Structure formats: structure tokens, C-alpha cells
Amino acid sequence: MTEFSAPKAIDKSNLFRKGDPDFMTSLARGIEVIRAFSDTKTGVNMSAISERTGLSRAVARRCLYTLSEMGYVRRDLDGYYLEPKILSLSQTYFSSTSLPALAQEHLDHVKESTGESCSLAILDEHETVYIARSAARRIMAVSLGIGSRLPAYCTSLGRVLLAALPPAELDNYFGTIKRKAFTERTRTTQRDLKAIIDKTREQGFTIVDQELEIGLRSLAVPVRNHNGVVVAAMNVGVQASRVSLSDLKRQTLPVLLSASEKLRSQLIC
Amino acid sequence: MTEFSAPKAIDKSNLFRKGDPDFMTSLARGIEVIRAFSDTKTGVNMSAISERTGLSRAVARRCLYTLSEMGYVRRDLDGYYLEPKILSLSQTYFSSTSLPALAQEHLDHVKESTGESCSLAILDEHETVYIARSAARRIMAVSLGIGSRLPAYCTSLGRVLLAALPPAELDNYFGTIKRKAFTERTRTTQRDLKAIIDKTREQGFTIVDQELEIGLRSLAVPVRNHNGVVVAAMNVGVQASRVSLSDLKRQTLPVLLSASEKLRSQLIC
DNA sequence: ACTTATTGTGCGATTATCGTACAAATGTTC
DNA sequence: GAACATTTGTACGATAATCGCACAATAAGT
């Protein structure tokens, strides 16, 4: 406990850490309860929360009770709902980092001039996390919002971000993650991926063609700050049926690169 | 710098509720620690967290330790930072409610055709909370993001939402909140505000002229669902120096009303 | 090198939290 | 509407999670 170690993936064992007097189990459990609301369009009842989190019903109940007393959760006829007050937690993130706010206008510009969704993401715990987004009108098969996470190895944003990692960390990445094929096109071997990442680093962009989902192509470029350090990645996602690979490279890439460059000049600090 | 964020003083009574065996103090404290990061562009050290939350240093430390073990907080040279993983908490909200996603394209459209920032908000605990937003390029004096909260009585969004409240709840609202004048134009008496709210209800929109901040005008309309129930409010905020009250009413209002109407037809459930 | 500020450690005291088992609602089926 | 099934609320003793102090260690500033 001398140093706060790198964040670990949360599994159940982490929630019941006996023997670490500094780890507040109740806090961890309560937060897991919040997360248990993911992907639930309807109300969630106590038992469901208890199941999803692996917490005993009594604990789940107390967590829900506490969260509801604090105004983060509301109880309705058909179960518990998250209250918008939960947004105040992420608001603290946005109010303490300016990157998403600065990027927004450039994302909007890319979206307007290409007609396609444009997103900004960073790497967090070996996953790609969207931190800003300008979504095109058309309904995409994948609907991703701010805070959404995807595996890095099979997304354009992820590969750009991985390409910016120091070699040691990249090795560590491949040592810890497990890869699976989302489609028949997904590259999963370490050799292939490392080659792709090397190429990405060289050419300054990457295209992923239906490796995450059939019908989805994605182009990404790095976003650097004033000192040239990669601080994020920006991408455009298109439907494969409408935009060819060469169109992506010839028409979309220049727009994306220009946006990234404009943003760069704003990232002084 | 004009700060509208909730006062830093945290209600201790809520955090140290002795005698309620169902209230998990540790969970409440941990969440307050997350909130203590609001409006901090730089790293925050432990002592600062302890001060802001009113928690003892030992408790603040354990909360930070736990959050950092879970990956929500990172420790850097100059203090603690929120990690983007915190966004996964709000992601659960967006993944469980479709209103913000549906509204986005309409907000974007209003922004594009008026050139001004457009936002969607709902009422939560007597405050206006932004749940979606399309920000105009120009830098506004007030930079508000998703999850930001403002008092309802002095904002256009708030007055539209208050106008939709059942009379009893409106009375309750006025009974509980305290009003203060942000500018010399801010209306604060219950009589004035009730009259304004009545008028808002009648005419289906409201304009607030520099009552929150000098130089800021705002126009808001209700957003109804398919059954006619008000589920949110949509607004456009402009700089007083550039857009007159009559321009707002003649040019912006129709755009906003049309957007609200289009959104309404999508809100079937 | 000295002072000051901030952070980490150990430990006994205490009470917050746990889980079980049971009671009370609530909803469902026939 | 009775009988059953499912979900939620209550009570309480046991226990370990959490507390805060006081001190040690480190970092920062002069």
C-alpha cells in the first residue's frame, strides 16, 4: 500500500477486499450499484441489482437507499431509475479538463463537412473511451455516447492511441488484454496487430475496416498537443456501404487531419 | 470568473447521519469526494479534498485511495485527478434514457440555423440540469456543460419547467428554495415569479433577459412527449449585445418551437 | 539546512455494515 | 378471491470495516 498502484480491472474479488484497511468496501459497492444500471431502459428492481453486482440483497438495498437519499437514484413503480443528478459526477470531470470542450467545435466541423459522426477518445485502462462526440443524423448500428468504452485493439481510435504508447507499455498491453474476434475480419494475433500499429505510427492515421462490426468503417488520427505529445485520437465512422476505403482516405482524411491540427494549436498547456 | 456551481459547503448532516442504519455513510462520503473535484483545472491534493468535503484527512485519504484503486481517480505529481472512467457513471444514465440522444440532432439543427448555443434541460431537485447541448463556436461568458445545474427561478429553462409543475409542487418549490439576485435585473419576489411563470405557461415560451448574468439573454420552450406531457425544456442563449429581444421572439422562437415539435413526435413512449 | 506543509502508518475504540431469518407487501395464477 | 410466488422491508446480534488520533516520514519551500 506504499504507492497507489495502477488501476486494476474491477472484479468481484476487488469489491470484497478483506485485509486492506484503506480500501472502503462500501464505497466500491455503492459505485458498482450505479454501474449496474447500464443498458437498462426500464426500471431496475432491487433483486436485479443484487444479481448484477453480486452483492447480497441487504447490501444492494442499503446502497440503493443511500443513493436515493442523496438524489442519485429514484424509485418508481417499476423499479429504480438513475436521476440526472448522476450527471453531476461526470460534470466534475468536464469542469476539470478542457480538452473535450476545446475539441467540440472541431468535431462539429468534421461532422458538418463530411456528414459523418466524429469522435474524440482517449485510452483508459486499456480501453478506448469517448470523451467528446458529434453524431451524424443517420442512425448508426452502434450507438456510442460519451463515456462509452471499446477495446482498443480492434478500433481505429484505439490503434492510434496504442501507437503512441511507449514500447514497454505496449508490450504490457498485449500481455494483459485478451482479444476476441468481433467479426470474421477482426485481427487478433499480436503479430498482426503490432504490424498494424507500427504502420499507424508511421503514416499518422489508421483505417479499420469492419473489424468491430460488419458494415462499419472507421478512420482515426492522433491529436497532439503543442509539444507534439499525443493526448487523444479523433475519428470518423462511416457505413461501409456508402463510403469506400479510398474515399475515406482521399476525402475524409484531409478534413480529419486539418481538424486535429487546428485543435493542436489550442492545446498549449 | 462567474461561478454558478453549487456552494462548496457540504451539508454535514447528510454525510454523518447517525441513527439511520440503512444509510451507508462511507458511500456518501466517497461520492462527495468525487464532487469535490468540481471546477478544479489543476490537480487537487488530499488536504484540499478534506477541506472541501469537511471530511477528516484520514477519511479523505481512504476515499481517494479506494477511488484510485477502482480507476476513477489518478494520482499525479501535483495532486489527484479524475480519470475518464468517471464518465462511465454518467454513461449509465445515457444508456438508460433515450431523450438526450433523440434530442441531439434537433439541438444541432437549432444551433446551425441560429448560430447560437442550444440546450436541453430537465428539473432535478429544484434545479435546472442540462442533459444535452449543442454549443456555438463563440466563447460564452458562461460555459455550461452536460450535468451543469442552475437555479430554476432565474433561467428560461427553469421557468418553462416550473410552469409545467402541478400547482402544489410549484408552491412547494417556492416554499423551499431561497432566491437571490444574480444581477440587478433578477426577479426574486414570489409574486413576480409566479406571474412570469403563469405567462410562460400561457404563451408557451419565455424569455429571460440578463437576470442570470448581464449580457446574457435566453429563450426557452417546453418539450412535450407524444401525450402532451412536458418532459424537458429547450433553450437558446444569446449575447444581449448581438440579439435583441424582438429578434429573439421573431426569428429564434419559430426555430425553437419547430425543433421542439419535431422532437415531440419522436417521444412516443 | 532549517522550517513548514503535506502525506503515510499503526492501532485501539467504536460503530457502521453485514447477513440471516422472518414479516410484510406486492403481484400472479387459476 | 384464495393460494402461491416474488419482491421488498425489518430486526438484531456478530464482526470486521471504518474511524480518528498521534506520530513518522516525506516533500516543499526559504
Side-chain angles (χ1 to χ4, degrees):
Chain A
M1 198 198 66
T2 49
E3 188 52 47
F4 290 5
S5 55
K8 287 160 207 149
I10 302 202
D11 50 39
K12 304 269 160 71
S13 59
N14 254 0
L15 294 179
F16 297 96
R17 289 178 155 219
K18 316 225 170 201
D20 187 345
D22 285 343
F23 190 84
M24 293 170 71
T25 325
S26 318
L27 172 53
R29 288 171 169 172
I31 289 180
E32 285 307 309
V33 166
I34 295 176
R35 300 191 65 157
F37 281 90
S38 314
D39 308 311
T40 58
K41 40 245 136 263
T42 170
V44 193
N45 64 15
M46 223 180 64
S47 315
I49 296 281
S50 157
E51 270 180 40
R52 283 185 177 222
T53 55
L55 299 171
S56 81
R57 270 187 29 243
V59 173
R61 200 184 90 83
R62 266 188 297 268
C63 288
L64 286 168
Y65 174 80
T66 306
L67 291 170
S68 105
E69 284 288 304
M70 295 179 80
Y72 294 106
V73 151
R74 175 179 41 93
R75 187 176 185 176
D76 214 334
L77 296 152
D78 59 338
Y80 290 92
Y81 285 86
L82 281 179
E83 287 278 276
K85 191 177 182 184
I86 206 77
L87 298 177
S88 60
L89 299 184
S90 61
Q91 210 274 323
T92 62
Y93 176 79
F94 290 119
S95 79
S96 64
T97 178
S98 50
L99 179 57
L102 291 170
Q104 191 63 49
E105 64 164 307
H106 301 109
L107 303 181
D108 288 343
H109 177 255
V110 171
K111 184 204 72 178
E112 278 160 38
S113 44
T114 65
E116 308 287 348
S117 298
C118 181
S119 308
L120 190 77
I122 59 173
L123 215 54
D124 184 47
E125 285 188 336
H126 296 166
E127 283 181 307
T128 302
V129 187
Y130 288 73
I131 61 171
R133 183 164 165 81
S134 188
R137 309 244 184 293
R138 65 180 58 84
I139 301 112
M140 294 290 289
V142 271
S143 95
L144 295 164
I146 288 170
S148 295
R149 305 171 81 84
L150 287 174
Y153 66 91
C154 59
T155 61
S156 63
L157 290 163
R159 288 179 185 171
V160 163
L161 293 165
L162 289 173
L165 245 39
E169 282 195 45
L170 188 56
D171 285 338
N172 172 46
Y173 171 78
F174 280 112
T176 51
I177 62 142
K178 39 198 169 307
R179 285 150 272 150
K180 73 162 190 176
F182 286 89
T183 75
E184 68 266 22
R185 304 176 85 113
T186 313
R187 320 302 296 267
T188 56
T189 72
Q190 181 165 340
R191 239 189 67 176
D192 285 357
L193 289 169
K194 282 202 165 167
I196 291 171
I197 288 167
D198 284 341
K199 196 179 168 203
T200 299
R201 195 182 301 109
E202 271 173 44
Q203 65 188 10
F205 70 91
T206 201
I207 292 180
V208 172
D209 185 18
Q210 311 182 60
E211 292 192 41
L212 182 64
E213 181 172 326
I214 289 298
L216 183 69
R217 290 199 176 110
S218 169
L219 161 69
V221 302
V223 173
R224 299 173 188 276
N225 67 9
H226 200 253
N227 303 323
V229 180
V230 174
V231 294
M234 196 186 281
N235 92 330
V236 167
V238 302
Q239 287 174 253
S241 53
R242 294 187 310 104
V243 184
S244 72
L245 288 177
S246 62
D247 282 351
L248 211 50
K249 204 182 284 189
R250 273 197 297 245
Q251 291 163 22
T252 314
L253 180 56
V255 180
L256 204 53
L257 284 172
S258 148
S260 163
E261 205 53 43
K262 279 187 198 136
L263 177 52
R264 172 183 193 161
S265 62
Q266 296 180 276
L267 301 175
I268 318 159
C269 47
Chain B
M1 73 177 180
T2 41
E3 296 292 352
F4 296 114
S5 52
K8 285 295 159 292
I10 284 163
D11 188 3
K12 304 239 169 97
S13 59
N14 255 2
L15 293 179
F16 297 94
R17 289 182 161 223
K18 315 223 171 197
D20 187 345
D22 285 342
F23 191 85
M24 295 170 72
T25 326
S26 317
L27 172 53
R29 286 171 170 172
I31 289 180
E32 285 308 315
V33 166
I34 295 175
R35 301 192 64 157
F37 282 89
S38 314
D39 308 312
T40 58
K41 42 245 140 260
T42 172
V44 193
N45 64 15
M46 221 181 65
S47 314
I49 296 281
S50 158
E51 270 180 42
R52 282 185 177 223
T53 56
L55 299 170
S56 80
R57 272 187 25 243
V59 173
R61 201 184 89 83
R62 268 188 296 266
C63 288
L64 287 168
Y65 173 79
T66 306
L67 292 170
S68 121
E69 284 289 304
M70 295 179 81
Y72 293 107
V73 151
R74 175 178 43 91
R75 190 181 185 172
D76 214 332
L77 297 152
D78 60 336
Y80 290 93
Y81 286 87
L82 281 179
E83 286 278 276
K85 190 175 182 185
I86 206 77
L87 297 178
S88 61
L89 299 184
S90 61
Q91 211 274 323
T92 62
Y93 175 79
F94 289 119
S95 79
S96 63
T97 176
S98 51
L99 179 57
L102 291 171
Q104 191 63 51
E105 63 164 308
H106 301 109
L107 303 181
D108 288 344
H109 177 255
V110 172
K111 184 205 72 178
E112 279 159 36
S113 45
T114 65
E116 307 287 349
S117 297
C118 182
S119 308
L120 190 76
I122 60 172
L123 214 54
D124 183 46
E125 285 186 338
H126 295 165
E127 283 181 306
T128 302
V129 188
Y130 288 71
I131 60 173
R133 184 165 165 81
S134 187
R137 310 244 184 292
R138 66 180 58 84
I139 302 114
M140 294 291 288
V142 271
S143 93
L144 295 165
I146 288 170
S148 294
R149 305 170 80 84
L150 287 175
Y153 66 91
C154 59
T155 61
S156 62
L157 290 164
R159 288 179 185 171
V160 163
L161 293 166
L162 289 174
L165 245 40
E169 282 194 45
L170 188 56
D171 284 340
N172 172 47
Y173 172 78
F174 279 112
T176 50
I177 62 142
K178 40 199 167 306
R179 286 149 271 152
K180 74 162 190 177
F182 287 88
T183 75
E184 68 268 22
R185 303 177 86 113
T186 314
R187 318 305 292 269
T188 56
T189 72
Q190 182 165 338
R191 239 189 68 175
D192 285 357
L193 289 169
K194 283 202 163 166
I196 291 170
I197 288 168
D198 284 341
K199 196 179 168 203
T200 300
R201 195 181 301 110
E202 269 173 45
Q203 65 187 9
F205 71 91
T206 201
I207 292 181
V208 171
D209 185 18
Q210 312 181 64
E211 293 191 41
L212 182 65
E213 184 174 325
I214 289 298
L216 184 68
R217 292 202 173 107
S218 169
L219 162 69
V221 303
V223 173
R224 299 173 187 276
N225 68 10
H226 199 254
N227 303 323
V229 180
V230 174
V231 294
M234 196 185 280
N235 91 329
V236 167
V238 302
Q239 287 174 254
S241 53
R242 294 188 309 103
V243 184
S244 71
L245 288 177
S246 62
D247 282 353
L248 213 48
K249 203 181 286 188
R250 272 197 297 247
Q251 291 162 23
T252 315
L253 181 55
V255 180
L256 204 52
L257 283 172
S258 147
S260 163
E261 204 53 42
K262 279 186 198 135
L263 177 53
R264 172 184 193 160
S265 63
Q266 295 180 277
L267 301 176
I268 317 157
C269 46

